[in-house]
């Protein structure tokens, strides 16, 4: 699906609690943030990645409220300054994803790595609109998205894999 400049289809813009909702595409919902990190914080990002990895290992469903397909974090340099790219694809609209992320980080005791980005609001835990404003200001909309399984939720994929496993078990027992 080719997506118009700006990331919204002019005749199909939906509005949520915090403004226009990024449209559902074949890859479901998602956004990409590109922002400059506070100088000297590169290792904080890598450590935070290890923190998230450990949290998921200890509690596999910790990120479940976000209904994620995937996340991708990238650090890269432009003219000697380090930037962070956050890509997320998920099954809920932008408003719900953001509210769920704020609640998840507040409840889990894990802070967001975004705290290490220039201009990120210090009061993000109590001020979701400021969090959302930051994300919208740093969002780089895609102009093309492809999904091998368009509009399919992560839960539907997990259920299908579970059915495949169970059918395989039944067939193995019949032999």
């Amino acid at each position: 699906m080719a997506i118009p400049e700006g990331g919204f289809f002019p005749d199909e813009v939906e509005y949520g609690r915090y403004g226009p909702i990024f449209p559902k595409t074949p890859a479901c919902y998602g956004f990409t943030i590109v922002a400059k990190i506070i100088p000297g914080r590169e290792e904080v990002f890598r450590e935070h990645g290890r923190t998230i990895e450990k949290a998921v290992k200890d509690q596999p469903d910790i990120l479940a409220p976000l209904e994620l397909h995937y996340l991708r974090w990238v650090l890269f340099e432009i003219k000697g300054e380090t930037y962070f790219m956050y890509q997320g694809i998920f099954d809920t609209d932008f408003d719900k994803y953001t509210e769920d992320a704020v609640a998840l980080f507040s409840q889990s005791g894990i802070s967001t790595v975004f705290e290490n980005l220039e201009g990120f609001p210090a009061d993000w835990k109590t001020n979701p609109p400021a969090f959302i404003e930051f994300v919208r200001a740093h969002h780089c909309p895609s102009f093309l998205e492809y999904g091998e399984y368009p509009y399919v939720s992560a839960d539907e994929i997990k259920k299908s894999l579970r059915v495949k496993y169970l059918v395989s078990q039944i067939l193995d027992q019949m032999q």
Side-chain angles (χ1 to χ4, degrees), residues 32 59 95-96 126 134:
T32 300
Q59 186 181 344
D95 289 355
K96 183 168 178 1
T126 58
F134 178 86

Side-chain angles (χ1 to χ4, degrees), residues 3-14 20-23 136 139 141:
I3 301 167
E5 190 171 342
F8 297 98
F9 299 97
D11 55 341
E12 299 175 21
V13 176
E14 290 183 57
I21 295 174
F22 300 126
R136 286 190 186 277
H139 173 60

Side-chain angles (χ1 to χ4, degrees), residues 8 12 15 29 38 40-42 54 64 77 81 85 90 116 134 149 153 155 164 167:
F8 297 98
E12 299 175 21
Y15 287 86
Y29 292 101
I38 297 169
R41 302 266 178 105
E42 294 84 358
K54 181 181 182 324
E77 286 195 21
E81 297 179 314
M85 181 175 69
F90 42 88
N116 298 285
F134 178 86
Y149 307 102
S153 73
D155 281 343
K164 177 186 173 199
V167 169

Side-chain angles (χ1 to χ4, degrees), residues 2 10 14 16 27 34 50 72 87 90 105 143 168 170 172 174:
E14 290 183 57
V34 176
R50 291 186 286 272
R72 176 172 285 157
Q87 290 182 306
F90 42 88
F105 288 119
F143 62 90
S168 178
I170 290 168
D172 287 348
M174 292 174 68

Side-chain angles (χ1 to χ4, degrees), residues 17-19 31 33 94-106 112 114 119-137:
R17 292 174 297 287
Y18 306 106
F31 58 87
I33 298 168
F94 174 75
D95 289 355
K96 183 168 178 1
Y97 178 87
T98 304
E99 288 172 345
D100 289 346
V102 169
L104 172 80
F105 288 119
S106 296
T112 178
F114 290 11
F120 189 72
D123 64 347
W124 67 274
K125 287 184 182 178
T126 58
N127 188 359
F131 184 103
I132 289 164
E133 185 178 318
F134 178 86
V135 170
R136 286 190 186 277

Side-chain angles (χ1 to χ4, degrees), residues 41-53 73 113:
R41 302 266 178 105
E42 294 84 358
E43 186 53 36
V44 173
F45 282 80
R46 297 186 189 288
E47 182 58 36
H48 197 73
R50 291 186 286 272
T51 298
I52 297 294
E53 178 186 28
W73 291 7
V113 75

